[in-house]
Amino acid sequence: MDLRAEAQRLFQVAVAAADPARALSRAFLTTPPTRPVGDGKLLLIAVGKAAIPMAETALAALGDTRVQALIVTNAENARPVAGAEVMPAGHPVPDAKGEAAGQAVAGLLQSAGPNDRVLALISGGGSALLPAPAPGLTLADKIAVNRLLLANGFEITEINLIRQQLSRLKGGGMLHLAAPAPVEAYILSDVIGDDLRAIASGPTVAPLGTRAEARALLQTRGLWRDLPAAVQDHLSRPA
């Protein structure tokens, strides 16, 4: 056996198995997306580092369905996609472009009516790419918190537990904004154990915890006093 050739073959098989477009195509075979009702439209929102190949796959599968598509991905992966608006954003540190993308996503979700359907395509990186500060907080507050967490060895689930409490979109926020339109999510995991609450901070699922738990975690690590005052105030108030 040529060990080098065999290693290359195994590597290519692994890359193909992890291909976002192929993964979504397989998912659609067993669980196709639900179409809108009557005169409703389908709102496609793709967020993450794999957002573009996932969105292209979905748009091709949806055929002549009336679709309004918005894609948010990192600047390195951004490119035009026919039939969709593509918004590049900062990663791993949130930036103003990401905040604008978050506002666009929130606006699109809030436009949904009962006959519409929301198709959410979620992949890794969505947390940083889609900052949507909770009322009373600013993008600068969120950037400061993100840098603090990254610099102090927090695990991804701990980071997302805290970030969810500071966002309008994370921790199920997409569902709140889209109501009464139902939301279907296809989620590509980049988290060991595949906890859907941790992938991109879980915009379409229940949060990892509460404000009180986020506050306790930061206090236990001795970082509470390093947080912006507005963040301390937000985490100290009941949800």
Side-chain angles (χ1 to χ4, degrees):
M1 179 185 293
D2 182 338
L3 292 180
R4 180 180 180 82
E6 181 66 5
Q8 289 176 329
R9 186 187 70 81
L10 293 172
F11 176 80
Q12 293 302 329
V13 168
V15 170
D19 182 87
R22 293 187 186 186
L24 189 59
S25 294
R26 289 194 299 269
F28 280 173
L29 290 175
T30 55
T31 314
T34 303
R35 305 301 170 106
V37 176
D39 62 351
K41 60 186 179 298
L42 192 145
L43 306 178
L44 188 157
I45 298 174
V47 179
K49 289 181 283 186
I52 285 183
M54 292 178 76
E56 289 177 328
T57 299
L59 288 168
L62 291 165
D64 59 359
T65 301
R66 198 167 134 224
V67 180
Q68 186 173 352
L70 177 59
I71 301 170
V72 182
T73 193
N74 55 310
E76 297 84 352
N77 289 349
R79 55 178 170 80
V81 174
E85 178 183 4
V86 179
M87 300 186 73
H91 180 279
V93 178
D95 63 8
K97 289 183 178 179
E99 184 176 30
Q103 292 171 347
V105 167
L108 185 57
L109 290 167
Q110 289 173 315
S111 75
N115 288 343
D116 298 331
R117 295 294 181 266
V118 177
L119 176 60
L121 307 176
I122 310 296
S123 57
S127 292
L129 291 167
L130 210 61
L137 301 180
T138 66
L139 178 61
D141 292 328
K142 296 200 69 175
I143 290 174
V145 172
N146 204 55
R147 284 178 171 155
L148 188 67
L149 300 177
L150 290 173
N152 284 278
F154 282 74
E155 297 179 356
I156 186 61
T157 52
E158 295 173 327
I159 290 174
N160 287 348
L161 163 63
I162 294 165
R163 289 196 292 203
Q164 285 173 348
Q165 306 306 318
L166 309 178
S167 172
R168 295 176 65 207
L169 290 172
K170 297 173 174 59
M174 278 191 177
L175 306 182
H176 291 288
L177 293 172
V183 177
E184 282 185 324
Y186 292 79
I187 303 172
L188 185 67
S189 176
D190 66 336
V191 175
I192 294 173
D194 301 336
D195 188 337
L196 300 184
R197 301 170 302 168
I199 303 165
S201 291
T204 62
V205 297
L208 285 158
T210 64
R211 287 188 192 182
E213 289 171 323
R215 183 173 67 247
L217 176 59
L218 288 159
Q219 290 170 337
T220 299
R221 298 289 180 87
L223 297 174
W224 179 255
R225 295 183 182 277
D226 298 326
L227 294 170
V231 174
Q232 292 182 28
D233 179 65
H234 179 78
L235 292 177
S236 297
R237 286 186 277 111

